[in-house]
Amino acid sequence: MNKFPDFEGLAMFAKVAEEGSFAAAARVMGVSVPTVSRAVTRLEQRLGGRLFNRTSRQLALTEFGSSMATKAAEIYRQAEEVESEALELAIEPRGQVRLAVPMSFGLRWVAPLLPALIRQYPGLTLDLHLSDASVDLVADGFDAALRIAALPDSSLVARHLCPVTQYLVASPAYLRAYGYPSHPRELSDRACLSYAYRARSRVWRFTHVDGTTEDIMPKGPLRVTNSDALLPTLLDGLAIAELPEFIANDYLANGSLERLLPEWSMTKGGLYFVTPSARSRPAKVKALSEFFVKHLSNPVWRQP
């Protein structure tokens, strides 16, 4: 028997154990299913025991396979760290980065930056996931995310890029028909539109300039999972809504929306670049972080 360890077989076995199927592991590693199957079979022959029980419908680790999976995964992780350190020494970051971004923010402010990103880092491949639903970076296999939150998830490593404020807004048509609210309590009797993925809760919390707070549970005809879906109803003068400043500012500037209760502030959060861990952050993720620091630390929606 060759005394040189079968690192390829161990790596492919670790990935099959993690993904739960040969096909999924092959897809993640960018190889064919037969290549993965042959590697695992070769490793089983080398180790003298079955790693998986295979049927046409199910793949399950054997007791022997379970005892080996953790060790093989650790070898795989260490190999990734070695490669990451090597990439950090490279002149140009390269490889795929899976990035999760909220949809409205991504379409407005990230997508327009992509040509500059591609030109600056031609060796990078960006897999951009646009969704307002929160993703689990570790479980879903993301390298990083841009998140808008009052406070980032404490289990993640977060880099603050810029503040993001929420505004209470309505159209001039709505205000002509129903008038201006003078206090947050009046919103209880008004039609208010809701955003389903608010970071904290469905409650609107207002803080006055004197420190007084007021909590309101908005009620109205529409609740959405993407803030852009609020705009037609909002602009038609049917209701009041909360919008992040990076959406609201264009409409405030052209007069199609007006800010309400300006002496009361709503959620004051921030835009963060988050990653699962800083312990072995590869060069490609660091490069992406620095790119967004450069382009999103003083975005135009925050400029006078």
Side-chain angles (χ1 to χ4, degrees):
M1 181 180 71
N2 188 342
K3 293 183 178 180
F4 193 79
D6 186 356
F7 290 114
E8 181 186 66
L10 288 166
M12 292 190 174
F13 161 62
K15 214 60 182 172
V16 173
E18 177 184 341
E19 297 293 331
S21 77
F22 283 83
R27 185 167 57 253
V28 169
M29 293 186 290
V31 298
S32 68
V33 174
T35 297
V36 178
S37 180
R38 285 193 297 270
V40 172
T41 299
R42 184 179 70 241
L43 184 64
E44 288 177 326
Q45 292 170 349
R46 181 184 180 96
L47 298 178
R50 292 182 62 81
L51 298 169
F52 295 101
N53 287 318
R54 305 171 178 83
T55 67
S56 59
R57 296 186 177 182
Q58 190 174 15
L59 181 73
L61 286 165
T62 63
E63 183 177 353
F64 175 60
S66 295
S67 69
M68 294 296 299
T70 301
K71 298 173 183 177
E74 178 62 15
I75 292 171
Y76 193 102
R77 184 191 65 78
Q78 290 178 358
E80 285 187 319
E81 287 186 358
V82 170
E83 285 193 350
S84 294
E85 291 173 4
L87 284 171
E88 288 175 359
L89 300 175
I91 296 175
E92 187 147 326
R94 61 182 182 271
Q96 185 185 79
V97 179
R98 297 196 70 218
L99 177 70
V101 180
M103 182 170 288
S104 291
F105 182 81
L107 292 173
R108 276 179 169 81
W109 301 104
V110 176
L113 296 175
L114 297 184
L117 177 69
I118 291 169
R119 288 191 180 97
Q120 184 171 346
Y121 299 114
L124 282 185
T125 303
L126 188 65
D127 183 354
L128 183 62
H129 176 88
L130 295 169
S131 174
D132 285 3
S134 181
V135 298
D136 185 324
L137 265 63
V138 176
D140 296 332
F142 285 98
D143 298 295
L146 288 173
R147 286 195 174 163
I148 298 166
L151 288 173
D153 187 335
S154 61
S155 67
L156 302 173
V157 177
R159 184 170 186 178
H160 184 263
L161 300 181
C162 70
V164 177
T165 301
Q166 300 291 118
Y167 292 152
L168 188 71
V169 295
S171 71
Y174 175 89
L175 297 171
R176 285 193 298 269
Y178 301 100
Y180 288 78
S182 59
H183 193 280
R185 283 194 295 270
E186 295 180 27
L187 299 176
S188 299
D189 299 322
R190 304 257 189 155
C192 297
L193 310 180
S194 302
Y195 176 62
Y197 292 131
R198 296 186 84 251
R200 291 293 175 181
S201 69
R202 294 177 62 182
V203 174
W204 287 355
R205 166 157 286 191
F206 293 86
T207 303
H208 194 267
V209 291
D210 64 7
T212 305
T213 62
E214 189 78 33
D215 289 352
I216 300 297
M217 178 67 77
K219 293 178 290 185
L222 180 64
R223 184 168 181 258
V224 301
T225 58
N226 181 270
S227 293
D228 274 306
L230 299 173
L231 288 169
T233 304
L234 187 61
L235 295 169
D236 202 56
L238 298 176
I240 292 171
E242 171 196 40
L243 286 180
E245 59 180 308
F246 61 81
I247 294 178
N249 273 4
D250 283 346
Y251 297 93
L252 295 173
N254 66 25
S256 55
L257 290 177
E258 294 187 34
R259 185 180 176 187
L260 308 182
L261 303 174
E263 69 278 13
W264 293 84
S265 62
M266 300 190 75
T267 304
K268 291 184 177 180
L271 173 66
Y272 295 87
F273 184 86
V274 299
T275 54
S277 172
R279 182 167 56 94
S280 58
R281 186 181 298 177
K284 59 186 180 181
V285 176
K286 289 182 180 179
L288 195 62
S289 174
E290 294 303 322
F291 179 85
F292 286 129
V293 166
K294 177 182 177 181
H295 291 279
L296 293 176
S297 290
N298 186 29
V300 295
W301 80 76
R302 294 203 60 82
Q303 297 170 12

